[in-house]
Coordinates of all heavy atoms in Angstrom, one line a residue:
A1 N 21.1 2.3 -46.3 CA 20.3 2.5 -47.6 C 20.3 1.1 -48.2 O 21.4 0.5 -48.4 CB 21.0 3.5 -48.5
E2 N 19.1 0.6 -48.6 CA 19.0 -0.7 -49.1 C 18.8 -0.7 -50.6 O 18.2 0.3 -51.2 CB 17.8 -1.4 -48.5 CG 18.0 -1.8 -47.0 CD 16.8 -2.5 -46.5 OE1 16.6 -3.7 -46.9 OE2 16.0 -2.0 -45.7
A3 N 19.2 -1.8 -51.3 CA 19.0 -2.0 -52.7 C 18.8 -3.5 -52.9 O 19.5 -4.3 -52.2 CB 20.2 -1.5 -53.5
S4 N 17.9 -3.8 -53.8 CA 17.6 -5.3 -54.0 C 18.6 -6.0 -55.0 O 18.6 -7.2 -55.0 CB 16.2 -5.4 -54.5 OG 16.0 -4.7 -55.7
D5 N 19.3 -5.2 -55.8 CA 20.3 -5.7 -56.7 C 21.3 -4.7 -57.1 O 21.2 -3.5 -56.6 CB 19.6 -6.3 -57.9 CG 18.7 -5.2 -58.7 OD1 19.2 -4.1 -58.9 OD2 17.6 -5.5 -59.0
G6 N 22.3 -5.1 -57.9 CA 23.4 -4.2 -58.2 C 23.0 -2.9 -58.9 O 23.5 -1.8 -58.7
L7 N 22.0 -3.0 -59.9 CA 21.5 -1.9 -60.6 C 20.8 -0.9 -59.7 O 21.0 0.4 -59.8 CB 20.6 -2.3 -61.7 CG 21.2 -3.1 -62.9 CD1 20.2 -3.5 -63.9 CD2 22.3 -2.3 -63.6
E8 N 20.0 -1.4 -58.8 CA 19.4 -0.5 -57.8 C 20.4 0.1 -56.9 O 20.3 1.3 -56.5 CB 18.3 -1.3 -57.0 CG 17.5 -0.3 -56.1 CD 16.4 -1.0 -55.3 OE1 16.2 -2.3 -55.4 OE2 15.8 -0.3 -54.5
A9 N 21.4 -0.6 -56.5 CA 22.5 -0.1 -55.7 C 23.2 1.1 -56.4 O 23.5 2.1 -55.7 CB 23.5 -1.2 -55.3
L10 N 23.4 1.0 -57.7 CA 24.0 2.1 -58.4 C 23.1 3.4 -58.4 O 23.6 4.5 -58.3 CB 24.3 1.7 -59.8 CG 25.5 0.6 -60.0 CD1 25.6 0.1 -61.4 CD2 26.8 1.3 -59.5
R11 N 21.8 3.1 -58.5 CA 20.9 4.2 -58.5 C 20.8 4.9 -57.1 O 20.8 6.1 -56.9 CB 19.4 3.8 -58.8 CG 19.2 3.5 -60.3 CD 17.8 3.3 -60.7 NE 17.2 2.1 -60.1 CZ 17.3 0.9 -60.6 NH1 17.9 0.7 -61.8 NH2 16.7 -0.1 -60.0
V12 N 20.9 4.0 -56.0 CA 20.9 4.5 -54.6 C 22.1 5.3 -54.4 O 22.1 6.4 -53.8 CB 20.7 3.4 -53.6 CG1 21.0 3.9 -52.2 CG2 19.3 2.7 -53.7
W13 N 23.3 4.8 -54.9 CA 24.5 5.5 -54.8 C 24.4 6.9 -55.4 O 24.9 7.9 -54.8 CB 25.7 4.7 -55.4 CG 27.0 5.4 -55.5 CD1 27.4 6.3 -56.5 CD2 28.1 5.2 -54.6 NE1 28.7 6.7 -56.2 CE2 29.1 6.0 -55.0 CE3 28.2 4.5 -53.5 CZ2 30.3 6.1 -54.4 CZ3 29.5 4.6 -52.8 CH2 30.5 5.4 -53.3
A14 N 23.9 7.0 -56.5 CA 23.7 8.3 -57.2 C 22.8 9.2 -56.5 O 23.1 10.4 -56.3 CB 23.2 8.1 -58.6
E15 N 21.7 8.7 -55.9 CA 20.8 9.5 -55.1 C 21.4 10.0 -53.9 O 21.1 11.1 -53.5 CB 19.6 8.7 -54.7 CG 18.6 8.3 -55.9 CD 17.5 7.3 -55.5 OE1 17.4 7.0 -54.3 OE2 16.9 6.9 -56.5
L16 N 22.4 9.3 -53.3 CA 23.0 9.7 -52.1 C 24.3 10.5 -52.4 O 25.0 10.9 -51.5 CB 23.5 8.5 -51.3 CG 22.3 7.7 -50.7 CD1 22.8 6.4 -50.0 CD2 21.5 8.5 -49.7
G17 N 24.5 10.8 -53.7 CA 25.7 11.6 -54.1 C 27.0 10.9 -53.7 O 28.0 11.6 -53.4
G18 N 27.0 9.6 -53.6 CA 28.2 8.9 -53.3 C 28.6 9.0 -51.8 O 29.7 8.6 -51.5
Q19 N 27.7 9.5 -51.0 CA 28.1 9.7 -49.6 C 27.8 8.4 -48.8 O 26.9 8.4 -48.0 CB 27.2 10.9 -49.0 CG 27.5 12.2 -49.7 CD 29.0 12.7 -49.5 OE1 29.5 12.7 -48.3 NE2 29.7 13.0 -50.6
V20 N 28.6 7.4 -49.1 CA 28.5 6.1 -48.5 C 29.9 5.7 -48.0 O 30.9 5.8 -48.7 CB 28.0 5.1 -49.6 CG1 28.0 3.7 -49.0 CG2 26.6 5.5 -50.1
D21 N 29.9 5.2 -46.7 CA 31.2 4.8 -46.2 C 31.5 3.4 -46.4 O 32.7 3.0 -46.5 CB 31.1 5.1 -44.7 CG 31.0 6.6 -44.4 OD1 31.7 7.4 -45.0 OD2 30.2 6.9 -43.5
L22 N 30.4 2.5 -46.5 CA 30.6 1.1 -46.5 C 29.6 0.4 -47.4 O 28.4 0.8 -47.3 CB 30.5 0.5 -45.1 CG 30.7 -1.0 -45.1 CD1 31.9 -1.5 -44.3 CD2 29.5 -1.7 -44.4
L23 N 30.0 -0.5 -48.2 CA 29.1 -1.3 -49.1 C 29.1 -2.7 -48.5 O 30.2 -3.3 -48.4 CB 29.7 -1.3 -50.5 CG 29.0 -2.3 -51.5 CD1 27.6 -1.8 -51.7 CD2 29.8 -2.4 -52.8
L24 N 27.9 -3.2 -48.2 CA 27.7 -4.6 -47.8 C 27.0 -5.2 -48.9 O 25.8 -4.9 -49.2 CB 26.9 -4.6 -46.5 CG 26.5 -6.0 -46.0 CD1 27.8 -6.8 -45.7 CD2 25.8 -5.8 -44.7
T25 N 27.6 -6.1 -49.7 CA 27.0 -6.7 -50.8 C 27.2 -8.2 -50.9 O 28.2 -8.7 -50.6 CB 27.6 -6.0 -52.1 OG1 27.0 -6.5 -53.3 CG2 29.1 -6.2 -52.2
D26 N 26.2 -8.8 -51.5 CA 26.3 -10.3 -51.8 C 27.2 -10.4 -53.0 O 27.1 -9.5 -53.9 CB 25.0 -10.8 -52.0 CG 25.0 -12.4 -51.8 OD1 25.8 -13.1 -52.5 OD2 24.1 -12.9 -51.1
V27 N 28.0 -11.4 -53.1 CA 28.9 -11.6 -54.3 C 28.0 -11.9 -55.5 O 28.2 -11.4 -56.6 CB 29.9 -12.8 -54.0 CG1 30.6 -13.1 -55.3 CG2 30.8 -12.4 -52.9
V28 N 26.9 -12.8 -55.3 CA 26.1 -13.1 -56.4 C 24.7 -12.4 -56.3 O 24.1 -12.4 -55.2 CB 25.8 -14.6 -56.3 CG1 24.8 -15.0 -57.4 CG2 27.1 -15.4 -56.4
M29 N 24.5 -11.6 -57.3 CA 23.2 -10.8 -57.3 C 22.6 -10.9 -58.8 O 23.3 -11.1 -59.7 CB 23.5 -9.4 -57.0 CG 23.9 -9.1 -55.6 SD 23.8 -7.4 -55.1 CE 25.1 -6.7 -56.1
P30 N 21.3 -10.8 -58.8 CA 20.6 -10.8 -60.1 C 20.7 -9.5 -60.9 O 21.2 -8.5 -60.4 CB 19.2 -11.0 -59.7 CG 19.0 -10.4 -58.4 CD 20.4 -10.6 -57.7
H31 N 20.3 -9.6 -62.1 CA 20.1 -8.4 -63.0 C 21.4 -7.7 -63.5 O 21.4 -6.5 -63.6 CB 19.2 -7.4 -62.4 CG 17.8 -7.9 -62.0 ND1 17.4 -7.9 -60.7 CD2 16.9 -8.6 -62.7 CE1 16.2 -8.5 -60.6 NE2 15.9 -8.9 -61.8
G32 N 22.4 -8.5 -63.8 CA 23.5 -8.1 -64.6 C 24.7 -7.4 -63.9 O 25.7 -7.2 -64.5
V33 N 24.5 -7.0 -62.6 CA 25.7 -6.4 -61.9 C 25.8 -7.2 -60.6 O 25.0 -7.0 -59.6 CB 25.4 -4.9 -61.6 CG1 26.6 -4.3 -60.8 CG2 25.2 -4.1 -62.9
N34 N 26.9 -8.0 -60.5 CA 27.1 -8.8 -59.3 C 27.9 -8.0 -58.3 O 28.2 -6.8 -58.5 CB 27.7 -10.1 -59.6 CG 29.2 -10.0 -60.1 OD1 29.9 -9.1 -59.7 ND2 29.6 -10.8 -61.0
G35 N 28.0 -8.5 -57.1 CA 28.7 -7.7 -56.0 C 30.1 -7.3 -56.3 O 30.5 -6.2 -56.0
R36 N 30.8 -8.2 -57.0 CA 32.2 -7.9 -57.4 C 32.2 -6.7 -58.3 O 33.0 -5.7 -58.2 CB 32.7 -9.1 -58.1 CG 34.1 -9.4 -57.7 CD 34.6 -10.7 -58.5 NE 34.2 -11.9 -57.8 CZ 35.1 -12.8 -57.5 NH1 36.3 -12.7 -58.0 NH2 34.7 -13.8 -56.9
E37 N 31.3 -6.7 -59.3 CA 31.3 -5.6 -60.3 C 30.8 -4.3 -59.7 O 31.3 -3.2 -60.0 CB 30.4 -6.0 -61.5 CG 30.9 -7.2 -62.3 CD 29.8 -7.8 -63.2 OE1 28.6 -7.7 -62.9 OE2 30.2 -8.5 -64.1
L38 N 29.8 -4.5 -58.8 CA 29.3 -3.3 -58.1 C 30.4 -2.6 -57.3 O 30.6 -1.4 -57.4 CB 28.2 -3.7 -57.2 CG 27.6 -2.6 -56.2 CD1 27.0 -1.4 -57.1 CD2 26.6 -3.2 -55.3
A39 N 31.1 -3.4 -56.5 CA 32.2 -2.9 -55.7 C 33.3 -2.2 -56.6 O 33.7 -1.1 -56.2 CB 32.8 -4.0 -54.8
A40 N 33.6 -2.8 -57.7 CA 34.7 -2.3 -58.6 C 34.2 -1.0 -59.1 O 35.0 0.0 -59.1 CB 35.0 -3.2 -59.7
Q41 N 33.0 -0.9 -59.5 CA 32.5 0.4 -60.0 C 32.5 1.6 -59.0 O 32.9 2.7 -59.2 CB 31.1 0.3 -60.7 CG 31.0 -0.5 -62.0 CD 29.6 -0.5 -62.5 OE1 28.9 0.5 -62.5 NE2 29.2 -1.7 -63.0
L42 N 32.1 1.2 -57.8 CA 31.9 2.2 -56.7 C 33.3 2.6 -56.2 O 33.6 3.7 -55.8 CB 31.0 1.7 -55.6 CG 29.6 1.4 -56.0 CD1 28.8 1.0 -54.8 CD2 29.0 2.7 -56.7
L43 N 34.3 1.6 -56.2 CA 35.6 1.9 -55.7 C 36.4 2.8 -56.7 O 37.2 3.6 -56.3 CB 36.4 0.6 -55.5 CG 36.1 -0.1 -54.2 CD1 36.6 -1.5 -54.3 CD2 36.6 0.7 -53.0
E44 N 36.0 2.7 -58.0 CA 36.6 3.7 -59.0 C 36.1 5.1 -58.7 O 36.9 6.0 -58.8 CB 36.1 3.3 -60.4 CG 36.8 2.1 -61.0 CD 36.3 1.8 -62.4 OE1 35.6 2.7 -63.1 OE2 36.6 0.7 -62.9
R45 N 34.9 5.2 -58.2 CA 34.3 6.5 -57.9 C 34.8 7.1 -56.5 O 34.9 8.3 -56.3 CB 32.8 6.5 -57.9 CG 32.3 6.1 -59.3 CD 30.8 5.8 -59.3 NE 30.4 5.2 -60.5 CZ 29.2 4.8 -60.8 NH1 28.2 5.0 -60.0 NH2 28.9 4.3 -62.0
S46 N 34.9 6.1 -55.6 CA 35.3 6.5 -54.3 C 36.3 5.4 -53.7 O 35.9 4.4 -53.1 CB 34.0 6.5 -53.4 OG 34.4 6.8 -52.1
P47 N 37.6 5.6 -53.9 CA 38.6 4.6 -53.5 C 38.7 4.4 -52.0 O 39.2 3.3 -51.6 CB 39.9 5.3 -54.0 CG 39.5 6.2 -55.1 CD 38.2 6.7 -54.7
A48 N 38.1 5.3 -51.2 CA 38.2 5.1 -49.8 C 37.0 4.2 -49.2 O 36.9 3.9 -48.1 CB 38.2 6.4 -49.1

């Protein structure tokens, strides 16, 4: 599942119901949510 930035990745995550095994993210991304922040938010929701 692809996303062009962190905000879109959060939307895709929600659409998939969090059924994601691996996040592949660039550290630097546009539009307010970088890769580090994205990973932190998603790890809070799914520590595995």
